[in-house]
Amino acid sequence: MGRDVPALEFTREDRRRFRNKVHACLDVFAQMLRESRFDFERPQVGIEIELNLVDDSGRPAMRSAEVLEALADQAWSSELGRFNLEINVAPRELVAEGREPWEQEIRAALNHAEERAAAIDAHLVMIGILPTLELKDVGPAALSENPRYHLLNEQIFAARGEDLLISLDGVERLRTYADTITPEAACTSTQFHLQVSPDDFADYWNAAQAIAGVQVALAANSPFLFGKELWRETRIPLFEQATDTRPEEIKVQGVRPRVWFGERWITTVFDLFEENARYFPALLPLCDDEDPQETLDRGGVPSLSELTLHNGTVYRWNRPVYAVVDGVPHLRVENRVLPAGPTVADVLANGAFYYGLVRALVDEDRPVWSRMSFSVAEDNLHAAARHGIDAPLYWPGMGEVPATELVLRRLLPLADRGLERLGLDAARREPLLGVIEQRCVSGRNGAVWQAETFHHIQDIDHVDRNEALRRMTRQYADYMHMNAPAHTWPVD
């Protein structure tokens, strides 16, 4: 869904033609998979980070267009809300330079963006949900100027036929309605990309699904929404609800949601694209002029633009990606479960844990997905989102155990082994995985710090809720720039 689209209205003919083009793309994609026309000899990894813009007081700043103009950098792009930005970090081989150069590159890019934003009275905050965001901040005026988001908003509400219900029971209770999809903009995430071969894709996707709950438990960073303390990773249920095209009557019929964990382990990447076409009507039925079969027959590489556009409107927590770079197609697993932040150090530690662990799980003789039901993996995700680092999670051979115990006893050694097999030496592995280890030992992550600091400010300074959230957000931003992992942040 990253491409720009024009502002227009769709006809019944547009939808029929789009459906036919998606199925034509599926046929060509199946042929390409059989003929091994993909780049995977030197696989690369990539990171996307979504950020919030705030003013000097820590409140949302609706300045994304101005900040993007000041940056004038193709690595930066708009997101759904006018208080959001996204940076696409250039892909590279995982072992190319190690932790320090990549960390320095990302920090330099963020610092440069902060300087440009500050010149127009805005600041960047890397956090799962901005704690100072209020319901009044996510009305129609907050929707990004980019036409694709307005078009997406129109199509989702046309499908629903009614306002969105956002309902969450956590530490506190939230129940409200929205007449735009802009509450989704509250969800800012980190996305890890991993290029894989067609033959290995299913194993890597299954492994990523199996550990989604573990990732969220460790990295939870979204305990507040619209002034309420809810789940430790509130971003998960909020995203599920804020893009739901189904009214209640359709839900009870078993129609799949567009924010989707899935319903089964897969045997090939084709399964996922085929499910998209089978279960989900088009939201943006835009066709281009390419005949994918003709392009393939003459030795070219088809863009499969209808297939990829449709894929971008099905929000899987681990999404398949087909892309063509320098005339060569490749496949990626896009891991989308994690919130943004708290620091670059935390983000890269999360990445190292993810990349190492999925590699180790793929290499196991008896894969974890053959020993765990798919529904249990989904249950783990929601338990982790609700309880964060204190979540009880199920793992084969261990039963239900605390997330920290599971990571320290079983998964952290696996992640280390996986990174070693990927070619990362001990001097580069240990600082990264050490952050994960100490997070587990201390039982602290971004969500824990936010909640504890909020309550501390209320108890000590006796200020109201909004002021406590504002002060906490400003402290968070200060520590974010220091780049010490969040488990080391004091509560004061």
Side-chain angles (χ1 to χ4, degrees):
M1 187 48 221
R3 88 180 68 154
D4 290 339
V5 299
L8 46 76
E9 293 183 1
F10 298 117
T11 66
R12 292 191 296 272
E13 172 63 19
D14 290 329
R15 296 185 181 280
R16 183 196 62 79
R17 182 167 177 252
F18 185 83
R19 180 183 291 111
N20 291 341
K21 284 292 295 285
V22 167
H23 284 281
C25 287
L26 270 175
D27 291 341
V28 170
F29 184 53
Q31 183 179 343
M32 294 176 71
L33 291 173
R34 290 193 301 269
E35 296 173 359
S36 300
R37 297 171 178 249
F38 291 85
D39 176 23
F40 54 86
E41 295 300 326
R42 299 178 63 187
Q44 295 187 319
V45 298
I47 302 177
E48 298 174 66
I49 304 173
E50 298 167 352
L51 302 102
N52 290 279
L53 292 171
V54 299
D55 59 22
D56 289 338
S57 71
R59 293 268 304 129
M62 307 294 174
R63 308 296 299 276
S64 61
E66 296 96 319
V67 173
L68 285 172
E69 184 178 359
L71 285 169
D73 185 340
Q74 291 186 347
W76 291 88
S77 60
S78 62
E79 263 297 324
L80 178 63
R82 293 178 60 217
F83 54 93
N84 301 142
L85 290 177
E86 179 179 89
I87 181 172
N88 288 272
V89 181
R92 65 178 64 204
E93 292 182 62
L94 182 65
V95 298
E97 296 180 84
R99 175 178 183 258
E100 290 77 16
W102 210 6
E103 180 172 336
Q104 290 168 11
E105 175 187 335
I106 298 171
R107 290 193 67 197
L110 296 181
N111 289 339
H112 173 69
E114 169 66 21
E115 290 173 6
R116 293 297 179 92
I120 54 174
D121 301 319
H123 306 277
L124 274 63
V125 179
M126 188 166 55
I127 194 168
I129 294 176
L130 186 64
T132 55
L133 194 70
E134 299 179 38
L135 188 59
K136 67 182 181 182
D137 297 318
V138 293
L143 201 62
S144 168
E145 292 90 337
N146 193 313
R148 75 172 180 261
Y149 297 119
H150 290 268
L151 194 55
L152 190 64
N153 181 67
E154 292 169 6
Q155 295 302 305
I156 286 177
F157 276 90
R160 281 187 61 83
E162 60 187 57
D163 287 349
L164 287 165
L165 171 64
I166 298 172
S167 179
L168 283 163
D169 291 308
V171 177
E172 297 175 297
R173 187 170 188 265
L174 173 69
R175 184 180 175 87
T176 188
Y177 287 89
D179 58 1
T180 74
I181 62 170
T182 320
E184 180 197 334
C187 307
T188 43
S189 65
T190 299
Q191 294 138 36
F192 295 119
H193 290 254
L194 177 61
Q195 185 180 336
V196 297
S197 75
D199 289 344
D200 292 336
F201 186 96
D203 287 350
Y204 275 96
W205 187 85
N206 289 340
Q209 291 284 96
I211 67 168
V214 180
Q215 288 181 273
V216 169
L218 290 176
N221 196 31
S222 312
F224 295 99
L225 174 65
F226 302 150
K228 301 281 190 177
E229 185 177 357
L230 299 165
W231 292 18
R232 283 306 185 240
E233 190 48 39
T234 304
R235 186 182 57 89
I236 297 290
L238 174 60
F239 193 58
E240 291 174 341
Q241 295 180 27
T243 55
D244 199 340
T245 58
R246 306 167 303 162
E248 289 300 318
E249 296 82 359
I250 298 299
K251 288 181 185 179
V252 299
Q253 293 176 33
V255 173
R256 281 84 173 169
R258 293 194 91 98
V259 177
W260 199 31
F261 188 77
E263 60 191 15
R264 63 189 174 108
W265 306 115
I266 64 170
T267 57
T268 170
V269 62
F270 187 82
D271 292 348
L272 301 178
F273 286 101
E274 191 273 335
E275 284 179 347
N276 290 351
R278 180 154 37 108
Y279 295 142
F280 301 101
L283 282 181
L284 301 174
L286 293 161
C287 295
D288 67 17
D289 295 329
E290 180 186 61
D291 181 329
Q293 189 65 61
E294 181 182 308
T295 300
L296 189 65
D297 289 345
R298 68 168 185 262
V301 178
S303 64
L304 306 183
S305 62
E306 293 82 11
L307 189 72
T308 59
L309 177 59
H310 190 49
N311 183 55
T313 63
V314 179
Y315 305 97
R316 296 178 185 271
W317 292 113
N318 284 289
R319 176 189 278 166
V321 176
Y322 167 90
V324 181
V325 178
D326 297 327
V328 181
H330 70 256
L331 295 172
R332 303 194 305 269
V333 178
E334 182 188 15
N335 179 250
R336 301 163 48 83
V337 298
L338 292 185
T343 66
V344 174
D346 285 299
V347 166
L348 291 183
N350 293 338
F353 180 75
Y354 167 71
Y355 290 127
L357 184 53
V358 293
R359 171 57 190 269
L361 293 176
V362 165
D363 287 347
E364 286 190 318
D365 293 333
R366 190 180 174 202
V368 64
W369 54 92
S370 69
R371 297 176 284 132
M372 178 167 66
S373 74
F374 195 86
S375 62
V376 166
E378 183 174 16
D379 290 343
N380 278 350
L381 174 64
H382 287 98
R386 181 180 288 276
H387 301 291
I389 204 164
D390 296 322
L393 302 177
Y394 175 85
W395 195 259
M398 297 184 71
E400 189 174 275
V401 294
T404 51
E405 179 183 345
L406 170 61
V407 172
L408 290 172
R409 285 179 50 196
R410 181 69 60 86
L411 302 186
L412 201 57
L414 282 175
D416 183 70
R417 186 186 312 161
L419 289 176
E420 183 179 19
R421 290 176 180 173
L422 287 166
L424 216 63
D425 60 37
R428 291 181 287 178
R429 299 193 309 268
E430 290 174 2
L432 290 160
L433 296 183
V435 172
I436 303 298
E437 179 182 32
Q438 290 306 308
R439 209 183 284 169
C440 291
V441 170
S442 63
R444 303 185 61 75
N445 57 16
V448 172
W449 183 89
Q450 286 188 56
E452 289 185 356
T453 301
F454 164 75
H455 290 293
H456 178 79
I457 291 170
Q458 276 200 314
D459 293 343
I460 300 300
D461 297 338
H462 305 292
V463 296
D464 66 28
R465 174 176 294 251
N466 288 341
E467 177 63 12
L469 288 169
R470 190 188 67 80
R471 292 188 190 183
M472 181 268 285
T473 301
R474 293 186 65 182
Q475 285 187 31
Y476 179 103
D478 289 341
Y479 287 131
M480 178 192 75
H481 286 295
M482 293 178 187
N483 201 41
H487 70 266
T488 68
W489 294 4
V491 174
D492 54 20

